[in-house]
């Protein structure tokens, strides 16, 4: 049984749009569904070749997001949208395996085609009259724009990332703006709230007047700004009357509210919480519904998330040394009793003389669909689509968990289904799939629900029996063999399996060695009984198919 890490962890023939990326070699393998969905005549061999299908102006932001995923051992999932060869894709990446240093080795990708991608010339029309939301990562010198901001600048209306230098290059007579921004970035003693009227060059080289609002959301050591966010809109035709700007909260709420997510505002002096109409609609409530009590909100938290969320919020309120912003995900009960997954971001905008937060604002994003797709992708990785058993990826993770916890005793049974090539060639692949499913059922039947039974690929299976010593594992193996004999006595397609067993109670003996030993014993048994297995399968095919089966083909020697 192959034990090397080069074997793919998803079915290449899958109709789903999937790919697997071997990061160290940059090799990428696409499923049949991905080739069809992406309309590719020839599969790219490397990720670099894959990225050649993406417009150059999107590569920097994609590279930044992927580098964060790949370089952060605690992050294993990323979702992103980008154009690809005339299509607009929604991509989800999941890190399947990392090496001992935390570097990614294998990444699984899945994509959905959201529609055709139009070039920027198609979006060179009228400027949007609505507010757009932007954020600025000062350390990375990158500005993230939402679709409205991108449209204001003459791009097509979809989120994009641009360098700070590229933004500055678009400004006309920006000296006063640049001086003001340098002061805001450099010191906490400057105002955290700002507003500018700017002449900005659009993509068609014409200048437009932009009304830009912003706020510093996070400062680091020495008070230097780390993160800013705000809003912008076209200043052409708007009233010259300034809106009130006497409170930080009002300006920050404006910066947050334009994102279109659910807004909340907590007043610590009264204990009341304001929820925007959009937030209420996320939960299935009309805008007139009142959810003003924090206790009412707490009562809707999922029991598994309650302690985590309440603890984070309490820490933010009571401990100013922990910072003034947080981000977490949790589930909240909707009006119909179902659960919605939310990504919540909160900001402390005022503390009293004792450092206790008295006002917090934030926004929540409904990530239920993304979470469901993530769970689907995880299930795709964990389970074998054909047999319903666990996958090789799940088995590898289970071994890592067992080794980390130093759990013993453990037994490993290596299994190989004999004659699959013969069945496929003479009876068809549907019969071969039936053989594998019957073998999977016989292997699973006498085991505990906690035992790991995994299809490692092709006709190879592995059983991980935690808490089983040699004697107990031999008893289980005997029951599996008896089950196979009983099934084969009915005259159906014979299920002939070669087995190898290895056990240990010593935590210093790695599971990988037991798998290797069990595999070696299985191959010895397979070679010992090969002739008899081939004869039984040959006779069954000839009696059911009315053909003469030749065993001279070298492919049947394995």
């Amino acid at each position: 049984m192959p034990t090397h890490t080069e074997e793919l962890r998803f079915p290449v023939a899958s109709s789903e749009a999937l790919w697997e990326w071997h990061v160290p070699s940059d090799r990428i393998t696409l499923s049949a569904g991905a080739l069809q969905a992406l309309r590719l005549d020839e599969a790219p061999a490397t990720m670099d070749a894959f990225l050649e299908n993406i417009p150059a102006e999107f590569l920097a932001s994609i590279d930044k997001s992927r580098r964060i995923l790949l370089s952060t051992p605690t992050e294993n999932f990323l979702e992103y949208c980008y154009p690809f060869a005339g299509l607009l894709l929604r991509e989800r990446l999941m890190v399947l395996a990392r090496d001992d240093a935390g570097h990614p080795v294998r990444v699984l990708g899945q994509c959905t085609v959201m529609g055709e991608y139009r070039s920027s010339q198609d979006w060179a029309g009228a400027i949007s009259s609505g507010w757009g939301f932007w954020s600025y990562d000062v350390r990375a010198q990158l500005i993230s724009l939402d679709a409205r901001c991108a449209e204001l600048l003459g791009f097509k209306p979809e989120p994009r990332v641009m360098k700070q230098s590229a933004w500055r290059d678009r400004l006309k007579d920006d000296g006063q703006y640049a001086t003001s921004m340098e002061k805001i970035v450099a010191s906490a003693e400057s105002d955290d709230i700002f507003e500018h009227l700017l002449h900005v060059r659009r993509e068609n080289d014409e200048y437009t007047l932009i009304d830009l609002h912003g706020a510093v959301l996070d400062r680091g050591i020495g008070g230097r700004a780390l993160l800013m966010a705000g809003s912008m809109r076209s200043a052409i035709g708007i009233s010259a009357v300034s809106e009130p700007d006497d409170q930080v909260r009002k300006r920050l709420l404006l910066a947050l509210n334009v994102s279109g997510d659910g807004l909340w505002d907590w007043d610590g002096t009264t204990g009341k919480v304001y929820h925007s109409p959009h937030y209420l609609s996320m939960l299935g409530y009309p805008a007139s519904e009142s959810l003003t009590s924090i206790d009412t909100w707490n009562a809707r938290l999922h029991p598994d998330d309650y302690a985590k969320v309440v603890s984070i919020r309490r820490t933010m309120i009571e401990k100013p040394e922990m910072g003034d912003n947080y981000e977490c995900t949790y589930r909240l009960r909707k009006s119909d009793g179902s659960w919605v997954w939310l990504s919540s971001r909160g900001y402390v905008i005022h503390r009293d003389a004792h450092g206790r937060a008295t006002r917090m604002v934030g926004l929540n994003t409904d990530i239920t669909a993304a979470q469901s797709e993530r769970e689907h992708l995880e299930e795709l990785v964990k389970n074998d689509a054909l047999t319903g058993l666990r996958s090789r990826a799940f088995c590898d993770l289970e071994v890592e968990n067992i080794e980390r916890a130093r759990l013993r005793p453990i037994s490993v049974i290596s299994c190989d289904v004999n004659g699959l090539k013969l069945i496929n060639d003479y009876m068809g692949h549907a019969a071969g799939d039936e053989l594998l499913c019957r073998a999977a059922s016989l292997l699973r039947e006498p085991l505990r629900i906690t035992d790991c039974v995994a299809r490692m690929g092709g006709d190879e299976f592995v059983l991980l029996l935690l808490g089983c010593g040699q004697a107990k594992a031999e008893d289980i193996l005997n029951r599996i063999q008896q089950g196979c004999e009983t099934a084969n006595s009915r005259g159906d397609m014979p299920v002939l399996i070669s087995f190898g067993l290895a056990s240990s109670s010593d935590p210093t003996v790695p599971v990988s060695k037991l798998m290797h030993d069990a595999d070696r014993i299985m191959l010895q048994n397979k070679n010992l009984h090969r002739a008899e297995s081939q004869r039984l399968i040959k006779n069954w095919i000839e009696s059911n198919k009315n053909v003469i089966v030749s065993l001279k083909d070298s492919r049947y020697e394995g």
Side-chain angles (χ1 to χ4, degrees):
M1 177 183 67
T3 57
H4 56 77
T5 59
E6 297 299 314
E7 185 156 335
L8 296 176
R9 303 191 180 198
F10 75 97
V12 177
S14 174
S15 60
E16 291 208 44
L18 305 169
W19 59 88
E20 185 167 319
W21 177 24
H22 184 253
V23 181
S25 66
D26 199 45
R27 189 180 65 254
I28 184 173
T29 304
L30 278 69
S31 70
L35 290 174
Q36 182 178 6
L38 302 180
R39 303 192 298 209
L40 294 175
D41 296 327
E42 184 176 346
T46 64
M47 180 56 73
D48 278 347
F50 181 88
L51 295 176
E52 289 175 0
N53 294 278
I54 299 173
E57 62 266 28
F58 291 88
L59 291 177
S61 61
I62 293 173
D63 179 65
K64 177 176 180 288
S65 297
R66 287 189 172 185
R67 277 192 287 109
I68 293 173
L69 173 72
L70 300 179
S71 63
T72 310
T74 56
E75 293 291 331
N76 289 310
F77 192 82
L78 172 68
E79 186 168 349
Y80 206 80
C81 292
Y82 57 82
F84 181 97
L87 301 171
L88 185 60
L89 301 186
R90 183 183 184 188
E91 175 189 77
R92 303 160 202 89
L93 296 180
M94 176 180 288
V95 178
L96 295 181
R98 295 182 183 271
D99 60 21
D100 293 339
H103 302 136
V105 177
R106 292 194 171 277
V107 176
L108 180 69
Q110 180 193 46
C111 74
T112 301
V113 176
M114 302 174 66
E116 299 288 332
Y117 169 68
R118 295 186 285 169
S119 64
S120 60
Q121 287 80 2
D122 297 328
W123 303 98
I127 300 175
S128 168
S129 60
W131 287 98
F133 180 73
W134 59 268
S135 64
Y136 174 34
D137 185 336
V138 180
R139 286 174 294 189
Q141 291 288 289
L142 292 175
I143 299 174
S144 298
L145 305 173
D146 74 353
R148 292 187 184 94
C149 289
E151 190 177 17
L152 284 168
L153 300 182
F155 298 106
K156 71 183 189 67
E158 72 167 12
R160 65 185 296 115
V161 176
M162 66 189 307
K163 293 181 178 179
Q164 163 71 353
S165 58
W167 164 255
R168 290 280 301 274
D169 288 341
R170 290 178 174 271
L171 302 182
K172 183 178 181 180
D173 301 324
D174 71 322
Q176 183 178 355
Y177 166 81
T179 302
S180 172
M181 292 302 296
E182 287 171 1
K183 290 181 179 178
I184 292 172
V185 170
S187 174
E189 295 179 2
S190 62
D191 290 337
D192 280 350
I193 302 301
F194 53 90
E195 180 176 359
H196 294 278
L197 280 176
L198 302 172
H199 282 93
V200 183
R201 178 171 47 81
R202 302 183 74 228
E203 193 66 4
N204 60 5
D205 289 331
E206 295 179 358
Y207 280 86
T208 188
L209 190 63
I210 295 292
D211 181 19
L212 181 99
H213 296 189
V216 177
L217 300 184
D218 190 23
R219 291 188 181 273
I221 299 174
R224 184 173 179 79
L226 301 178
L227 179 65
M228 298 182 183
S231 56
M232 68 170 71
R233 63 175 173 176
S234 171
I236 300 174
I238 65 173
S239 170
V241 179
S242 297
E243 54 190 340
D245 192 21
D246 58 345
Q247 294 185 35
V248 172
R249 180 180 65 85
K250 290 182 179 179
R251 183 66 75 209
L252 185 53
L253 284 177
L254 174 64
L256 294 171
N257 205 18
V258 296
S259 69
D261 291 333
L263 176 71
W264 55 267
D265 178 358
W266 173 73
D267 186 340
T269 60
T270 64
K272 300 297 184 181
V273 184
Y274 162 79
H275 296 98
S276 69
H278 186 69
Y279 192 170
L280 292 172
S281 71
M282 283 184 188
L283 304 179
Y285 294 104
S288 58
E289 184 76 21
S290 176
L291 297 176
T292 57
S293 168
I294 191 67
D295 292 333
T296 303
W297 182 85
N298 284 344
R300 286 170 168 77
L301 280 169
H302 193 285
D304 293 343
D305 301 328
Y306 183 91
K308 173 188 71 174
V309 175
V310 172
S311 175
I312 290 174
R313 189 176 63 224
R314 183 180 297 118
T315 299
M316 289 294 300
I317 292 172
E318 298 176 353
K319 298 181 178 181
E321 66 271 17
M322 300 305 294
D324 288 335
N325 60 79
Y326 75 88
E327 182 171 349
C328 66
T329 60
Y330 56 85
R331 287 157 288 184
L332 210 60
R333 189 175 68 250
K334 299 176 65 176
S335 62
D336 61 4
S338 62
W339 298 99
V340 59
W341 275 96
L342 298 176
S343 173
S344 179
R345 284 86 75 204
Y347 306 91
V348 176
I349 60 173
H350 186 267
R351 293 185 182 273
D352 61 21
H354 304 288
R356 180 180 175 83
T358 58
R359 199 103 195 192
M360 292 177 67
V361 298
L363 54 86
N364 287 0
T365 304
D366 183 349
I367 59 169
T368 305
Q371 189 70 20
S372 298
E373 288 158 355
R374 175 174 180 167
E375 290 171 354
H376 169 70
L377 188 57
E378 288 176 344
E379 286 302 307
L380 190 68
V381 172
K382 291 178 181 178
N383 300 316
D384 176 60
L386 175 64
T387 64
L389 299 181
R390 292 302 193 180
S391 66
R392 177 172 187 153
F394 181 90
C395 182
D396 290 346
L397 291 173
E398 191 75 356
V399 170
E400 290 179 11
N401 293 334
I402 290 170
E403 293 289 49
R404 190 178 299 112
R406 298 176 63 83
L407 300 175
R408 297 294 187 275
I410 186 172
S411 294
V412 176
I413 300 178
S414 178
C415 318
D416 189 287
V417 179
N418 301 325
L420 179 62
K421 293 185 181 68
L422 274 172
I423 295 294
N424 282 338
D425 286 352
Y426 285 95
M427 304 296 292
H429 284 274
D433 290 347
E434 180 189 348
L435 175 62
L436 292 173
C437 290
R438 290 184 59 201
S441 178
L442 291 168
L443 293 173
R444 174 81 263 183
E445 185 175 356
L447 301 184
R448 302 165 298 182
I449 193 171
T450 55
D451 292 326
C452 175
V453 187
R455 183 185 176 205
M456 305 299 280
D459 52 9
E460 301 154 0
F461 298 82
V462 160
L463 282 56
L464 298 179
L465 308 177
L466 189 59
C468 288
Q470 180 79 22
K472 190 173 182 179
E474 288 176 353
D475 178 65
I476 291 174
L477 179 54
N478 287 333
R479 280 187 279 152
I480 294 174
Q481 291 173 323
Q482 290 171 7
C484 292
E485 292 175 3
T486 301
N488 291 335
S489 66
R490 304 188 186 106
D492 297 329
M493 184 185 343
V495 181
L496 307 174
I497 307 176
S498 297
F499 298 97
L501 168 63
S503 303
S504 179
S505 298
D506 185 356
T508 64
V509 178
V511 178
S512 59
K513 183 180 186 305
L514 297 179
M515 295 176 74
H516 181 271
D517 291 345
D519 201 43
R520 176 176 49 79
I521 296 170
M522 179 275 294
L523 289 173
Q524 292 173 351
N525 289 330
K526 186 179 181 72
N527 291 330
L528 184 64
H529 300 287
R530 175 179 286 110
E532 177 65 11
S533 297
Q534 290 183 340
R535 184 186 65 79
L536 291 172
I537 296 170
K538 175 179 181 294
N539 291 343
W540 185 86
I541 293 174
E542 289 180 344
S543 63
N544 285 272
K545 195 68 174 177
N546 195 27
V547 296
I548 302 299
V549 175
S550 172
L551 299 177
K552 295 181 180 180
D553 194 319
S554 60
R555 292 179 301 132
Y556 304 140
E557 295 178 0

